[in-house]
Amino acid sequence: MSDARRFVVRIVALLTAILGVNYVAWRWLFSVNWDAWWIAVPLVLAETYSLIDSLLFGMTVWKLKGRGEPPVPEPDLTVDVFIATYNEPLELVLDTARAAQRITYPHRTWILDDGNRAELRARAEAEGIGWITRSADWTDMPRHAKAGNLNNALLATEGEFLLILDADMVPKPEILDRTLGYFRDERMGLVQTPQYFVNVPDHDPLGSQAPLFYGPIQEGKDGWNAAFFCGSNAVIRREALMQLGVSRYAGEVEVGVHRALRTARSVIGQARKDLAPDQVEVRQALDEIDYDIARARRDLDRGEALFDVTYRFQKRVAATRRELVGADLRSLNEDLAIIAGLDRLADDPDLSLATIDESALLQLADREWSPLGAVETVEALVRSIDVDLGGEAQPVMPMATISVTEDMATCMRLHGLGWRSAYHDEILAEGLAPEDLQTMLTQRLRWAQGTVQVMFRENPLVQKGLTLAQRLMYFATMWTYLSGFAALVYIAAPIAYLTLGVLPVQALSTDFFVRLVPFLLVNQLLFFVVADGRPTWRGQQYSLALFPVWIRSFTSAFGNVFLGRSLDFAVTPKEKREDTGLRWDLVKPQLVAMGLLVLALVIGGVRLALGEASPFGTIFNMVWVVFDLVVFSVIIQAVRYRGFEPAASTGTTSTGTTSTGTTTDGAAVARPSDEGAA
């Protein structure tokens, strides 16, 4: 990248930030129409959201990093090529595997078959291709989709480096020669290359190609050492992944131990409150447990080894439990003696209740057979200190399992451990994009859900080990998926004015336009200079047009993370669906929005003709509505799209910067394909 282009990008980014902050600050301080707060406040909040989005995008492209020619790889490195699959067509998977076998750098090719298909195994082995499926350890255990598939394969292979491919991503022979050289840097953990789809027409009606993301955005993130792992077409150092797996395992155990110790004292304290005065031995035993808890916490605070502390603690608790059982047995014998007396009373009419101590009867009625559940409490406490993570198929899980998409969380954790990443901007694998609207919507929803899950579970803004820039780079991607809520406001505001005459700003004054128009123009100029000839309009359209998907991703991920609701994982079909006609039902919310926008145009025109509306305000909002309708027009194209039909003579480029995904306004998002998971 030339210094001149980088300088221009920074100047425009700086101007965008200054004009945007000036506009939004003025809006909050002087322009909100509080009399119509129900639309005025949401609008200024939406504008604030867009400003933050723009600022994050400007920061992303501030350090554009073009790496140029890659370093030559070292000889004799060992590489495993992983092709993740679940239910994709056999020929598609085998075509990818055969292409992987033709990679020139020495390696071993593996098909990771999460569908455990006997025919695929037989055909793969017949062609000398490795085949791996889940081990028996995964039976009746959480499977964790593609992440689980990869984690299983990691423990079954030994290569120093891993090339990860989706089942449809056909690699070029030079892919390893063009990427392994970056690992001469001993702290380089990951090298990502673009994703490019060969079955996408030039007009790209489904927004499959993402030239802005797999280009300036990844290059910008690379400048901040935050280039993302995108699920496929990436090479990863095994050492980095295994270090991540071990550290996460130790961290999860330590968190569990601390949590158990923090809550144990209150549990023991409650048990002591319910003891009878004569249960001296039980009270002493619980006091010993309480002391052992405090001692274990002090040992951990002093930095003693976690496993040493937990081992000593478990032994002490086991000894105390034996004492509790002994006390319980002695108490039980006393109770049995009382019962024996009652039996004699029933069998011998010469005996009377007067011969049985009344206090003994009361004691029998009030007692529990196990002293107040103390034994169970102690045993539960011991079980909570579980260093084996028995609820998982394998304790070490290098690939993150907190999301339906494993890539972002894994990469963020690697960066948190101090590993570096690189983005190599050259198409080295070519895949297949969805060819119908339903498949595309399913794919986009899953990507968005996975990203929002990560935001809720491991918000990058508070993650240890990340630099401030890295935190913002990850947060920028997550932030863009909140755009669905802002889109609702941008649709509603002009409708409210044209139909009801409600203006969310104090006035459409000169002050308003002098601040707004320059900001909008310079913001678009920023996209233009950053794109450097790449098309960006389709991505901007889908940022607004898929607002129902973005909203659903947020609400469903929230329900999954905080309310425990299930979040189904759907593998994107690699075969074209049968033609079932025009699926307008898939875009009902967008069609309703378009209908309301058209209705608003008509009502606004009528009100203008009757002299009931300001000409200037009406024209301004009509232009706004027309712009929204132009954006939504992509939905019409998507519904009518019948799939890719190659021209009579076609070819695919072997190098370049075009690739796949979706982009959004501001920090523009692209999510990788992550098929090949159960």
Side-chain angles (χ1 to χ4, degrees), residues 15-36:
L15 284 174
T16 302
I18 293 172
L19 293 172
V21 170
N22 175 67
Y23 169 70
V24 172
W26 176 80
R27 284 280 288 114
W28 276 106
L29 295 174
F30 304 108
S31 181
V32 177
N33 182 8
W34 295 105
D35 292 335

Side-chain angles (χ1 to χ4, degrees), residues 17-175:
I18 293 172
L19 293 172
V21 170
N22 175 67
Y23 169 70
V24 172
W26 176 80
R27 284 280 288 114
W28 276 106
L29 295 174
F30 304 108
S31 181
V32 177
N33 182 8
W34 295 105
D35 292 335
W37 62 267
W38 55 272
I39 187 63
V41 172
L43 180 59
V44 74
L45 286 173
E47 290 175 312
T48 304
Y49 167 85
S50 296
L51 171 63
I52 295 172
D53 203 32
S54 179
L55 293 175
L56 290 171
F57 178 68
M59 180 183 175
T60 299
V61 299
W62 189 265
K63 293 184 69 173
L64 289 170
K65 187 171 187 176
R67 288 188 174 266
E69 190 66 15
V72 177
E74 295 180 1
D76 303 323
L77 300 176
T78 56
V79 183
D80 288 318
V81 178
F82 285 173
I83 301 167
T85 178
Y86 174 51
N87 61 357
E88 293 85 355
L90 266 61
E91 286 303 327
L92 181 147
V93 177
L94 289 169
D95 284 346
T96 300
R98 292 170 188 136
Q101 283 186 305
R102 294 192 292 271
I103 294 174
T104 54
Y105 194 94
H107 64 284
R108 180 73 191 272
T109 299
W110 301 91
I111 293 176
L112 313 186
D113 184 13
D114 229 3
N116 193 15
R117 292 171 287 182
E119 183 182 357
L120 179 57
R121 177 179 185 176
R123 295 183 62 179
E125 292 179 347
E127 298 187 36
I129 300 168
W131 180 88
I132 299 175
T133 194
R134 305 270 186 145
S135 68
D137 295 335
W138 290 87
T139 304
D140 298 325
M141 290 290 183
R143 295 186 67 81
H144 301 303
K146 182 182 176 183
N149 194 7
L150 292 170
N151 283 330
N152 176 74
L154 276 167
L155 299 189
T157 54
E158 298 179 347
E160 300 169 83
F161 298 93
L162 312 169
L163 168 60
I164 297 178
L165 299 169
D166 283 336
D168 64 308
M169 281 290 176
V170 177
K172 297 180 181 298
E174 66 271 20
I175 186 169

Side-chain angles (χ1 to χ4, degrees), residues 181-197:
Y182 291 106
F183 293 98
R184 288 181 176 271
D185 177 353
E186 294 183 354
R187 295 302 299 170
M188 183 65 68
L190 175 140
V191 176
Q192 178 67 53
T193 68
Q195 294 186 23
Y196 176 76
F197 293 154

